[in-house]
């Protein structure tokens, strides 16, 4: 492709918005090496640090969300919105983009609204089964809406929807090529033992970790071994929970897992939050999972995500407040019943969409060609 495309991308606030935006940018750079990509984020938010680390320039808007309860912060919102719309228009008028992409988060609202008003081709990615406020607001205004789930015409115009799935990290795609025995040895565990992988999310998993800690001894009596990613705040508490356990050699506790491809390869079963990235990766690796949705997630989207898989018999779900009481019966059933696990694996595989990043990039190219 010879044309040098100019592309604006906005996605931020959480890893679930930022990392797919970076994956799309990387995919565009691979397919169209001459493309000029500029990110737009919200000042003071995570994207202002993560995007430059990924090698892309970013400009910040003075914008935040509306608080759901009555608070003084809402008084500044109209001023922030007006300021960010003005700055978004200025960026567009200076950069002259061929297409503008939004993956969710506060800054994508003003940027894509101004782009749509100026008749510049626009595309949004909605990875959750229940859309966020920004994407719901933009749905009627943009040209293309890429989704990870079917039946999203409840929220968006049907003729704009393309089911692409969610972009995921390259190394996760290749995790099935890693020998499970070697992966377990990497985590200093028994290469032949049934392995449970426990992972929280970027927004924290304190209550989830406490529920696991209260049941860890009983879990280990099921004859399994555990890889437990706790996050920094829960690391010491988790270590104390196995201090006097006769099974402690069968638990690998870490605050963060850098080699997630090996962790997925080692696992027979997962306990996980239900953010968009976690769901997309679990579908890709096709491993049975028990989801514990983060109750404070915006619009309760994690529970909606988990329910979408439960409905297809592709996962189990436990509400966080019931975790301590329900975790043992749920995982006991899954550990002992290979037939149920195989059914879940089959259903997860039927939900795979191929390479989501490639599909989204093809939609971006279609929009630029229509211009």
């Amino acid at each position: 492709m010879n044309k040098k495309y100019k592309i604006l991308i906005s996605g931020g606030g959480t890893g679930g918005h930022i990392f797919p935006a970076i994956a799309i940018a990387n995919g565009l750079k691979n397919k169209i090496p001459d493309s000029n990509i500029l990110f737009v984020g919200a000042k003071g938010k995570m994207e202002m640090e993560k995007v430059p680390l990924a090698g892309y320039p970013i400009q910040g808007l003075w914008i935040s969300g509306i608080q759901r309860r009555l608070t003084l912060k809402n008084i500044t919102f109209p001023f922030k919105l007006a300021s960010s719309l003005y700055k978004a228009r200025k960026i567009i008028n200076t950069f002259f983009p061929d297409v503008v992409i939004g993956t969710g988060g506060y800054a994508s609202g003003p940027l894509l609204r101004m782009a749509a008003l100026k008749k510049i081709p626009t595309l949004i990615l909605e990875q959750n089964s229940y859309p966020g406020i920004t994407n719901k607001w933009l749905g009627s205004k943009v040209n293309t809406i890429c989704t990870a789930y079917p039946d999203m015409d409840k929220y968006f115009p049907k003729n704009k929807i393309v089911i692409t799935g969610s972009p995921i990290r390259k190394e996760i795609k290749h995790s099935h090529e890693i020998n499970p025995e070697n992966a377990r040895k990497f985590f200093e565990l028994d290469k032949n033992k049934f392995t449970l992988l426990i992972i929280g999310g970027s927004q924290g998993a304190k209550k989830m970790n406490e529920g696991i800690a209260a049941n860890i001894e009983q879990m280990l009596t099921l004859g399994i071994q555990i890889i437990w990613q706790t996050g920094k705040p829960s690391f010491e508490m988790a270590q104390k929970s196995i201090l006097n356990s006769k099974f402690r050699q069968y638990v690998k506790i870490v605050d963060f897992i850098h080699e997630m491809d090996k962790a997925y390869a080692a696992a027979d079963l997962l306990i996980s939050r239900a953010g968009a990235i976690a769901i997309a990766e679990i579908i890709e690796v096709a491993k049975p999972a028990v989801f514990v949705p983060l109750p404070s997630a915006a619009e309760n989207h994690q529970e909606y995500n988990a329910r979408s898989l439960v409905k297809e018999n592709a996962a189990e779900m436990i509400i966080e407040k019931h975790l301590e009481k329900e975790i043992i019966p749920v995982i006991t059933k899954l550990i002992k019943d290979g037939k149920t696990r195989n059914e879940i694996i089959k259903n997860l595989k039927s939900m795979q969409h191929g390479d989501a990043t490639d599909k989204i990039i093809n939609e971006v190219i279609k929009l630029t060609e229509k211009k």
Side-chain angles (χ1 to χ4, degrees), residues 19 127 166-173 175 197 199-200 257 260-261 264 270 272 275-287 289 291 309 348 352:
F19 299 123
Q127 300 185 91
S166 296
I168 60 169
R169 293 172 280 182
K170 261 188 194 162
E171 61 270 26
I172 303 302
K173 285 187 166 298
S175 66
L197 171 63
I199 38 179
I257 299 173
M260 273 308 296
D261 52 346
Y264 282 129
L270 288 94
S272 172
I277 289 176
I279 296 260
E281 291 185 350
I282 287 164
I283 289 172
E284 179 63 32
V285 299
K287 295 283 171 115
F291 289 112
L309 269 69
L348 284 167
Q352 291 171 348

Side-chain angles (χ1 to χ4, degrees), residues 121-350:
T122 47
L123 176 148
I124 58 172
L125 169 66
E126 180 49 71
Q127 300 185 91
N128 294 301
S129 63
Y130 186 83
I133 291 170
T134 304
N135 276 354
K136 269 206 268 192
W137 179 62
L138 289 169
S140 60
K141 299 160 182 70
V142 299
N143 299 96
T144 304
I145 302 161
C146 297
T147 69
Y149 293 90
D151 306 321
M152 294 299 281
D153 52 342
K154 292 179 283 203
Y155 313 109
F156 299 123
K158 194 171 186 174
N159 61 319
K160 296 182 180 186
I161 295 171
V162 182
I163 302 173
T164 58
S166 296
I168 60 169
R169 293 172 280 182
K170 261 188 194 162
E171 61 270 26
I172 303 302
K173 285 187 166 298
H174 299 292
S175 66
H176 66 278
E177 295 165 14
I178 299 169
N179 180 296
E181 292 181 5
N182 291 343
R184 287 171 197 143
K185 274 159 71 177
F186 175 83
F187 289 102
E188 301 166 332
L189 292 169
D190 187 318
K191 65 177 186 178
N192 298 312
K193 221 170 175 57
F194 188 101
T195 305
L196 172 67
L197 171 63
I198 304 167
I199 38 179
S202 64
Q203 294 178 68
K206 185 174 181 286
K207 290 279 184 206
M208 178 173 139
N209 284 326
E210 286 169 355
I212 299 296
N215 284 280
I216 193 83
E217 191 70 12
Q218 210 176 337
M219 284 180 180
L220 291 164
T221 60
L222 297 168
I224 64 169
Q225 60 190 2
I226 296 169
I227 302 167
W228 184 5
Q229 179 189 277
T230 62
K232 277 197 171 73
S234 297
F235 182 68
E236 274 186 48
M237 178 274 296
Q239 283 192 311
K240 281 178 189 168
S241 72
I242 61 156
L243 205 56
N244 301 313
S245 172
K246 62 180 178 182
F247 301 112
R248 65 179 178 274
Q249 75 267 33
Y250 296 119
V251 188
K252 179 75 175 177
I253 297 174
V254 289
D255 61 1
F256 186 77
I257 299 173
H258 291 279
E259 301 83 359
M260 273 308 296
D261 52 346
K262 291 186 178 74
Y264 282 129
D268 296 293
L269 177 66
L270 288 94
I271 299 171
S272 172
R273 287 299 198 201
I277 289 176
I279 296 260
E281 291 185 350
I282 287 164
I283 289 172
E284 179 63 32
V285 299
K287 295 283 171 115
V290 179
F291 289 112
V292 184
L294 178 73
S296 59
E299 285 90 39
N300 199 24
H301 70 257
Q302 288 206 7
E303 188 176 328
Y304 282 98
N305 290 348
R307 285 195 188 283
S308 298
L309 269 69
V310 172
K311 193 176 75 177
E312 301 299 323
N313 192 23
E316 296 277 352
M317 180 181 78
I318 300 173
I319 299 300
E320 187 177 77
K321 64 182 179 184
H322 301 143
L323 178 68
E324 202 170 316
K325 188 176 68 179
E326 293 180 9
I327 190 62
I328 295 299
V330 171
I331 68 163
T332 302
K333 181 183 83 172
L334 288 167
I335 290 163
K336 293 189 171 175
D337 189 351
K339 194 178 168 191
T340 298
R341 289 200 312 277
N342 288 334
E343 186 67 24
I344 287 171
I345 291 164
K346 189 181 89 176
N347 293 334
L348 284 167
K349 285 180 176 174
S350 75

Side-chain angles (χ1 to χ4, degrees), residues 36-55:
N36 185 0
I37 297 169
L38 173 65
F39 276 74
V40 177
K43 282 181 182 175
K45 294 294 178 183
M46 196 204 285
E47 60 268 29
M48 301 308 290
E49 178 196 339
K50 299 290 182 191
V51 169
L53 285 174

Side-chain angles (χ1 to χ4, degrees), residues 5-7 9 24 28 32 98-101 121-123 144 146 357-370:
Y5 289 106
K6 298 178 92 176
I7 299 154
I9 303 179
I24 293 166
L28 283 161
I32 317 163
D98 294 291
V99 64
V100 182
I101 301 164
T122 47
L123 176 148
T144 304
C146 297
T357 307
D358 271 357
K359 289 183 176 182
I360 293 163
I361 288 161
N362 288 338
E363 292 304 318
V364 171
I365 290 165
K366 274 187 210 170
L367 285 175
T368 59
E369 286 169 352
K370 281 180 192 171

